Amino acid sequence: MKLYNRYILTVAIILLLTTVIMIATGQNSLDIYFTVYVIEALVITELYVYINNKARRGLAYVSAILFGGFTIALCLQIIRILA
Amino acid sequence: MKNRNTYTWAGLGLLIAGGLTSLSAYFVFHLIWLTALGICMLILSFILIALGKAIPKLSPEVCSLLLETGIDNIATLIEELGIKSKAIYLPSSLASKYPRAFIPLHSNGSRPEITKALPQRLIARYGSKPEDIGLLISTIGSTATGMLESKPGATQDELESALTSLFTGRLGVADSTRVVCQNNHIKIEIHKPRLENGASWSHQCLGGPLAAVVASVAAEAWDKPMTISQEEQVNGKYCVELEVGR
């Protein structure tokens, strides 16, 4: 349980810090916000290697959803560039 | 309503709040930063819901109740029999099915040599002499070993990784572990343990709960009997020293 709490806190702090930094730098593209969030969430999940198998399976679905969103954002950006 | 824990409830709350925030910020207020904040909440909600499904259905109070009852029964048995010898933690290959602790009923100072698998009984005979008899019991280490994803190898790094995974990831009773192997001794440091040791007779015989888990995992990894030769708690560290048997 303590590991889960630490993991959730890490993700929450990193995502909020990123938001503050990106607002401060004047970032105004939702795609970039989302891409950075997805990368950070995936990296933090990979760093917590000792999370048990059952939780890891659940987090694998979350990673798949986030990666799906990232792919859609990437495809939309490519279409916009090509058009 | 059933089986929903605090993680799931927090996740559902964040899912609704995040959904409303991001949709209203994007379509009504046209604020990108607020939409991004809503997306943050949605990501956290997915994570919380996923973790909520991995939380055991039994409450910690019920688990503690079961653990204390089991330990109390074993302690009573050991105290009634007046056993003073230290338990030998056997790997599954010597104890049938899963690792167990063997307590010799008669001890002349030397450790009994167990070379073949003992029968799956409470009172087990390990030699031909009439006094070659002892108790073969399951400890929390026996069950904890089954929680490991795979059997660890007989190396310092693999044992350290298995113990950290068990104590930090599965059981949440310590922050980390460190293993040092020296000849036929294995020293294990458990950092910031959150499981208290009793000072009863049975603890002197079987070792504390953390030491029992360490000994069972090490016995399984080395595939050799292990004895807890020393255990102490110093400066937020719980140190266990194991002696590898032949």
Side-chain angles (χ1 to χ4, degrees):
Chain A
M1 295 275 263
K2 204 178 173 192
L3 189 74
Y4 292 174
N5 293 345
R6 211 185 297 166
Y7 167 70
I8 292 163
L9 272 177
T10 311
V11 176
I13 290 167
I14 295 289
L15 292 189
L16 286 175
L17 269 179
T18 309
T19 311
V20 172
I21 291 167
M22 286 174 87
I23 291 167
T25 52
Q27 190 55 249
N28 213 23
S29 166
L30 197 58
D31 292 345
I32 293 173
Y33 275 101
F34 185 70
T35 306
V36 173
Y37 291 158
V38 170
I39 292 167
E40 283 173 347
L42 293 178
V43 168
I44 296 166
T45 308
E46 283 308 309
L47 286 176
Y48 275 75
V49 284
Y50 294 122
I51 286 180
N52 73 53
N53 264 359
K54 205 175 172 188
R56 193 154 281 284
R57 265 197 301 276
L59 290 175
Y61 288 123
V62 176
S63 299
I65 293 168
L66 294 181
F67 190 73
F70 169 72
T71 313
I72 291 167
L74 194 74
C75 289
L76 289 174
Q77 204 64 258
I78 291 169
I79 291 165
R80 205 175 298 162
I81 292 164
L82 291 175
Chain B
M1 283 291 276
K2 63 177 179 182
N3 296 335
R4 293 226 167 121
N5 51 49
T6 44
Y7 287 88
T8 313
W9 284 119
L12 289 173
L14 271 176
L15 185 72
I16 295 164
L20 289 174
T21 308
S22 50
L23 287 175
S24 58
Y26 191 75
F27 293 109
V28 182
F29 303 112
H30 305 291
L31 286 171
I32 295 298
W33 66 269
L34 196 59
T35 314
L37 212 60
I39 292 171
C40 270
M41 289 159 87
L42 286 174
I43 293 172
L44 279 173
S45 75
F46 295 149
I47 289 172
L48 280 164
I49 292 168
L51 290 180
K53 289 186 188 300
I55 299 290
K57 290 181 183 86
L58 283 179
S59 71
E61 286 76 18
V62 176
C63 297
S64 161
L65 211 71
L66 294 171
L67 176 73
E68 278 174 28
T69 314
I71 289 176
D72 208 37
N73 282 332
I74 292 172
T76 312
L77 185 70
I78 290 168
E79 280 180 35
E80 281 297 312
L81 289 169
I83 302 168
K84 284 178 184 170
S85 49
K86 287 219 168 209
I88 303 163
Y89 285 87
L90 302 174
S92 53
S93 60
L94 292 176
S96 317
K97 282 188 182 174
Y98 49 90
R100 294 210 228 183
F102 181 75
I103 312 165
L105 291 179
H106 303 281
S107 176
N108 54 358
S110 63
R111 203 167 80 164
E113 267 188 47
I114 298 157
T115 48
K116 56 177 182 170
L118 297 177
Q120 203 179 344
R121 299 178 65 175
L122 174 67
I123 299 164
R125 182 172 287 282
Y126 63 91
S128 54
K129 293 179 200 160
E131 66 267 21
D132 291 347
I133 201 163
L135 295 178
L136 188 64
I137 54 168
S138 298
T139 64
I140 59 164
S142 313
T143 319
T145 313
M147 289 177 170
L148 289 170
E149 287 165 29
S150 59
K151 185 184 162 182
T155 62
Q156 190 174 305
D157 292 339
E158 282 194 55
L159 180 63
E160 190 173 299
S161 172
L163 289 174
T164 307
S165 152
L166 198 60
F167 288 144
T168 312
R170 291 303 304 256
L171 304 171
V173 290
D175 277 6
S176 62
T177 55
R178 199 170 151 262
V179 176
V180 179
C181 298
Q182 291 171 330
N183 303 322
N184 65 334
H185 282 82
I186 306 169
K187 286 181 181 172
I188 299 111
E189 281 180 9
I190 303 164
H191 297 265
K192 293 189 183 167
R194 289 179 285 278
L195 200 63
E196 282 182 20
N197 273 328
S200 65
W201 193 328
S202 69
H203 275 99
Q204 285 171 21
C205 175
L206 285 167
L210 288 178
V213 175
V214 164
S216 296
V217 174
E220 197 62 7
W222 262 255
D223 203 24
K224 282 180 179 175
M226 297 274 169
T227 318
I228 301 164
S229 54
Q230 207 182 336
E231 57 173 321
E232 56 177 352
Q233 187 144 14
V234 275
N235 303 329
K237 276 190 300 187
Y238 184 64
C239 305
V240 183
E241 192 176 325
L242 301 174
E243 196 185 328
V244 187
R246 278 174 287 165

